[in-house]
């Protein structure tokens, strides 16, 4: 990384940084998801008894907020074109304040998430045009391939990292794609990025957790 090289030169020290690129993160999550669904196959080993004996594999959900929401997006899109072990179907997905980028967001070049992504993927790489972060990029798969039956998304009116318009654009793009599933979307007034993590037992934090729980429990 240029930053590591610059730092090492400036203070005359050895700087070590990971060689693996960002895609390794997504692959790790995919392997973990496949491990979970492998519990439906009798012949596979390395099983966790709690998962094997107490799980309903007809109601599998993935969920994440912020960068986790980005991971959820990439997993659900991959499920749309690749099968999970045991042919398990993903029932639902929760995208909470997902770290995504849409060029149509006003003044996108000044948005913090845009700046952070460009630091991760500099100009020599796809940047905002990367399918990893931009659902409507030229090389992105169509959102009609989302590999789940139900989708919950939320955004905060005063989100300082991922602007509220991002969540709105995402939901609109899913609807326009022709995806055949149910969508639930809420915008929380007066709240910022992932506010529910601060005090999930009180106020709007608790209300959002209830909404997520209701989404998962609904038949």
């Amino acid at each position: 990384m240029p930053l590591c090289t610059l730092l090492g030169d400036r203070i005359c020290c050895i700087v070590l940084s990971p060689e693996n690129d960002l895609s390794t993160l997504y692959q790790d999550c995919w392997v973990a998801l496949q491990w979970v669904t492998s519990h439906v196959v009798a012949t596979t080993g390395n099983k966790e008894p709690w998962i094997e004996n107490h799980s309903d594999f007809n109601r599998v959900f993935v969920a994440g907020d912020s960068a986790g929401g980005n991971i959820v997006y990439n997993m659900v899109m991959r499920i749309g074109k690749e099968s999970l072990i045991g042919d398990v179907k993903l029932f639902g997905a929760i995208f909470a304040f997902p770290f995504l980028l849409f060029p149509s967001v006003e003044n996108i070049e000044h948005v913090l998430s845009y700046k952070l992504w460009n630091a991760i993927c500099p100009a020599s790489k796809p940047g905002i045009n990367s399918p990893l972060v931009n659902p409507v990029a030229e090389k992105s798969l169509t959102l009609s391939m989302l590999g789940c039956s139900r989708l919950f998304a939320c955004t905060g009116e005063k989100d300082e990292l991922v602007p509220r318009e991002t969540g709105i654009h995402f939901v609109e793009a899913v609807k326009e794609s022709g995806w055949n599933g149910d969508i639930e979307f809420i915008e929380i007034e007066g709240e910022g990025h992932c506010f529910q993590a601060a005090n999930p037992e009180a106020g709007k934090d608790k209300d959002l957790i209830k909404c997520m729980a209701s989404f998962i429990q609904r038949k």
Side-chain angles (χ1 to χ4, degrees):
M1 294 177 64
L3 178 59
C4 293
T5 302
L6 179 63
L7 181 61
D9 290 343
R10 183 67 57 86
I11 60 178
C12 193
C13 70
I14 297 174
V15 179
L16 303 178
S17 63
E19 287 294 327
N20 293 326
D21 61 20
L22 189 64
S23 61
T24 303
L25 179 151
Y26 299 112
Q27 182 59 26
D28 286 349
C29 291
W30 179 254
V31 170
L33 184 56
Q34 290 281 33
W35 173 75
V36 170
T37 60
S38 72
H39 285 73
V40 303
V41 181
T43 57
T44 59
N46 191 28
K47 291 184 177 181
E48 167 55 51
W50 275 98
I51 297 177
E52 184 177 18
N53 299 325
H54 302 285
S55 297
D56 181 355
F57 289 97
N58 292 313
R59 294 182 60 84
V60 176
F61 290 78
V62 290
D65 54 20
S66 193
N70 175 278
I71 294 173
V72 166
Y73 164 71
N74 281 276
M75 294 302 100
V76 176
M77 291 303 299
R78 186 165 178 176
I79 291 170
K81 63 186 180 73
E82 297 182 39
S83 297
L84 292 170
I85 292 176
D87 200 30
V88 171
K89 306 301 181 185
L90 188 65
F91 191 59
I94 294 179
F95 299 81
F97 316 91
F99 192 104
L100 299 172
L101 294 176
F102 284 83
S104 53
V105 170
E106 186 176 359
N107 297 320
I108 184 65
E109 66 276 7
H110 300 301
V111 172
L112 182 55
S113 54
Y114 174 88
K115 295 178 180 178
L116 286 174
W117 182 256
N118 279 333
I120 298 170
C121 294
S124 60
K125 295 184 179 181
I128 193 174
N129 295 315
S130 170
L132 296 175
V133 73
N134 182 352
V136 296
E138 182 178 351
K139 294 184 178 181
S140 294
L141 296 173
T142 171
L143 286 166
S144 64
M145 293 180 62
L146 280 166
C148 62
S149 301
R150 296 168 53 199
L151 184 159
F152 176 95
C154 64
T155 186
E157 179 190 16
K158 296 184 177 180
D159 195 322
E160 65 282 2
L161 177 60
V162 183
R164 57 180 288 275
E165 290 84 0
T166 298
I168 295 172
H169 287 328
F170 174 59
V171 170
E172 290 177 344
V174 171
K175 291 179 179 178
E176 292 172 0
S177 75
W179 175 70
N180 186 25
D182 297 323
I183 301 177
E184 183 175 340
F185 174 69
I186 59 173
E187 178 183 343
I188 301 90
E189 295 183 358
E191 297 296 343
H193 190 69
C194 296
F195 74 94
Q196 82 284 2
N199 187 9
E201 294 296 329
K204 293 182 181 179
D205 311 54
K206 186 176 182 179
D207 293 340
L208 179 56
I209 298 299
K210 283 184 176 180
C211 287
M212 293 179 179
S214 176
F215 170 78
I216 294 172
Q217 293 171 337
R218 193 175 306 126
K219 300 297 184 181

